[in-house]
Amino acid sequence: MTNEQPARTYWFPEREDITIYGVLAALSDPTRLELVRQLATGGERCPYEFCDVTSKQNLSHHLKVLREAGLITARYEGRKKYLSLRRELIDDMFPGLLAGLLTAVEALPQT
Amino acid sequence: MTNEQPARTYWFPEREDITIYGVLAALSDPTRLELVRQLATGGERCPYEFCDVTSKQNLSHHLKVLREAGLITARYEGRKKYLSLRRELIDDMFPGLLAGLLTAVEALPQT
DNA sequence: ATAATAGTACAATGGTTATTGTACTGTCAA
DNA sequence: TTGACAGTACAATAACCATTGTACTATTAT
């Protein structure tokens, strides 16, 4: 049988569902901050490209946290899944926040 | 007997002890974000001026978290204690972070 | 001295969360 | 069909944390 929809679909928060507390809490974890850093500097990524960051179960968990906080979105192309930062939205809601954060993260001693 | 020192002295982190993770974690709590907001907009404050934010024990706890994260410092003048943001240090280490954050917090629907 | 004020220390509790192991679904290549 | 790959769901555990209650210290005012 045919399935026109992507294999799995999730809930993504709208603008009014996103809070500064949720965003900050999502960003306050080293693993998630690293994911955000790579998405910010490298653009779209597939989840399996983050396998060196942590285990796949934990990766799935952290991606869920980032998604529910409103920080990332996903695009399905064929059978592949591409993650990306919701940069315009976050920059519009919290101007300077991501920029300042990424500047600080890039200046960290060890990548 | 005389006591030349302030009644209580604490450890305050130096620049090399301050991490982006600690700062973000400290800022990801609504209570602490409110304290930081008031310190940023109103300048120096005495702890008892925050009694309307939460209980004094909890206030003491959150101020400790903010202090150990490197976000605030204290000045003793006579018997009074004045809290303030370590604004120059944070702005130097994480440019744009506090500014973007405070912009977002000030834009929140309810203060 | 006594009471009031400002602040902290400590224990307890309930809730959250990061991590791991196991198991499952769906897709692709052989 | 079989196996490998990509990803998720769920349970369990351990750690962390926000909050509150009780008790304590130190200082000031009466």
Side-chain angles (χ1 to χ4, degrees):
Chain A
M1 73 188 84
T2 61
N3 184 2
E4 305 286 341
Q5 296 292 359
R8 298 160 194 266
T9 55
Y10 306 101
W11 173 79
F12 288 86
E14 301 294 328
R15 174 184 259 267
E16 57 267 22
D17 302 317
I18 300 175
T19 68
I20 184 68
Y21 310 115
V23 168
L24 285 175
L27 291 172
S28 67
D29 180 86
T31 301
R32 289 193 291 265
L33 202 50
E34 171 63 17
L35 297 177
V36 168
R37 187 192 69 83
Q38 291 196 29
L39 284 174
T41 59
E44 284 187 332
R45 297 286 176 94
C46 296
Y48 65 83
E49 298 185 67
F50 295 125
C51 280
D52 57 325
V53 176
T54 182
S55 67
K56 64 177 184 175
Q57 309 99 300
N58 202 22
L59 176 62
S60 191
H61 161 67
H62 285 304
L63 290 176
K64 180 182 180 184
V65 174
L66 288 173
R67 170 173 59 83
E68 294 182 342
L71 280 163
I72 65 173
T73 187
R75 173 176 70 86
Y76 294 90
E77 184 176 306
R79 62 201 178 281
K80 295 203 128 195
K81 179 182 183 181
Y82 292 93
L83 305 167
S84 59
L85 265 187
R86 302 176 73 176
R87 184 90 197 225
E88 300 103 62
L89 177 60
I90 300 299
D91 282 348
D92 186 57
M93 292 189 69
F94 315 118
L97 182 63
L98 268 186
L101 190 59
L102 294 170
T103 300
V105 171
E106 289 299 326
L108 286 180
Q110 52 134 357
T111 307
Chain B
M1 73 187 83
T2 62
N3 184 1
E4 305 288 340
Q5 296 292 357
R8 296 160 195 268
T9 56
Y10 304 102
W11 172 81
F12 288 85
E14 301 294 329
R15 174 184 260 269
E16 58 266 23
D17 303 317
I18 299 174
T19 69
I20 185 68
Y21 311 115
V23 167
L24 286 175
L27 291 172
S28 67
D29 178 86
T31 301
R32 288 193 290 267
L33 202 50
E34 171 63 17
L35 297 177
V36 167
R37 188 192 68 82
Q38 291 197 30
L39 285 174
T41 59
E44 284 187 332
R45 298 285 176 93
C46 296
Y48 64 82
E49 299 186 66
F50 295 125
C51 279
D52 57 326
V53 177
T54 183
S55 67
K56 63 176 185 175
Q57 310 97 301
N58 202 22
L59 176 62
S60 191
H61 161 67
H62 284 304
L63 290 175
K64 179 182 178 182
V65 173
L66 289 174
R67 171 173 58 83
E68 293 181 342
L71 280 163
I72 64 174
T73 187
R75 173 176 71 84
Y76 295 91
E77 185 177 303
R79 63 202 176 280
K80 295 203 127 193
K81 179 182 182 180
Y82 292 93
L83 304 168
S84 59
L85 265 187
R86 303 177 72 176
R87 184 90 196 226
E88 300 103 63
L89 176 62
I90 300 299
D91 283 348
D92 186 56
M93 292 188 70
F94 315 119
L97 183 62
L98 268 186
L101 189 59
L102 293 170
T103 299
V105 172
E106 289 299 326
L108 287 181
Q110 53 135 357
T111 308

